Amino acid sequence: MAWSAAHHREGVTIGLVPTMGALHAGHRALIKAARLSCDAVVVSLFVNQAQFGPKEDYSRYPRKPNADAALCKKEGVDVLFAPPVEEIYPDGFQATVSVSKLARRWEGEQRPGHFESVATVVTKLLTLVRPTAAFFGQKDFQQAALIRRLVEDLNLGARMIVYPTVREADGLALSSRNVFLTPAQREAAPVLFQALKAGRAAIRAGGRSGTNIQQVMRKTLVAEPLASLDYLAVCDPDTLEPLARVRDRAVLLGAIRIGKIRLIDNLLVKC
Ligand code: AMP
């Protein structure tokens, strides 16, 4: 990107917020954080087909280009970078980037190939835009952990900022996919955050057994008939491996399905 090269020459710092569009208040918080700490802000908008499984919702994924452009303008974004598919994947493209261990469990297990496609597209975006800092949401905890590793391992040169999850008043993490929930499903959806909070309460009450904490979360979840469980786990926040015993820190990871909608969330807990 010639724009980035010129800005780097002038010592301008660039913040990049990678998104798939259908921007909401969670994305807006990342944009504001970038605005506060960088001179210039780039929001990328690319619905990366490669990271959707064959049975997933690529064609149905919400797209709101006009509203996205308006939000970016209002937030003082300098560049809305919405590359055409050929710019990211030119003819003959075949490179992939994998972050093997961090991609193995949880979302990686439920969505084969997903993280390889995420790592590949993020590598492309970071090398095209060459930001000083890149902003990601804690909402996608495993993705953020994996990208942190990727940036460090491949010396991609961006400072990695992970911003806390923005939630609705009832605790549901904002997500572009929430628009697909029917009113009844929307009412049921906060159960995931409630389950994670029950796990956090158990830790705060002195619980240390990973299995027990997981059971506490599960009990809250199964009380909601509209929700079906993909996983609820008590993990090391750096390796994302399950913890038999919680020592000083844990991340509680969860994924559920409500109807056809898949929701993920997490909570970091310090003892
Ligand atoms: P997406 O457009 O869903 O790919 O998300 C783009 C970025 O926004 C990712 O870094 C997400 O983790 C982040 N994000 C999505 N939802 C939220 C949220 N509720 N709070 C904070 N960040 C979020």
Side-chain angles (χ1 to χ4, degrees), residues 203 208 236-238 243 245-250 269-271:
I203 296 175
R208 291 294 178 268
D236 179 299
D238 299 318
L243 288 173
R245 289 201 66 75
V246 175
R247 294 203 162 76
D248 51 344
R249 291 181 330 136
V269 188
K270 291 193 180 114
C271 302

Side-chain angles (χ1 to χ4, degrees), residues 8 18 54 56 68 70 76 106 111 114 139 165 194 249:
H8 282 302
E56 292 182 5
D68 290 348
W106 319 124
R111 308 180 70 186
H114 170 71
K139 152 94 177 359
T165 304
Q194 284 154 14
R249 291 181 330 136

Side-chain angles (χ1 to χ4, degrees), residues 59-80:
S59 55
R60 282 198 332 130
Y61 195 80
R63 289 166 174 85
K64 301 196 283 181
N66 296 337
D68 290 348
L71 186 149
C72 287
K73 191 166 174 208
K74 183 153 178 274
E75 294 302 331
V77 168
D78 298 273
V79 177
L80 175 55

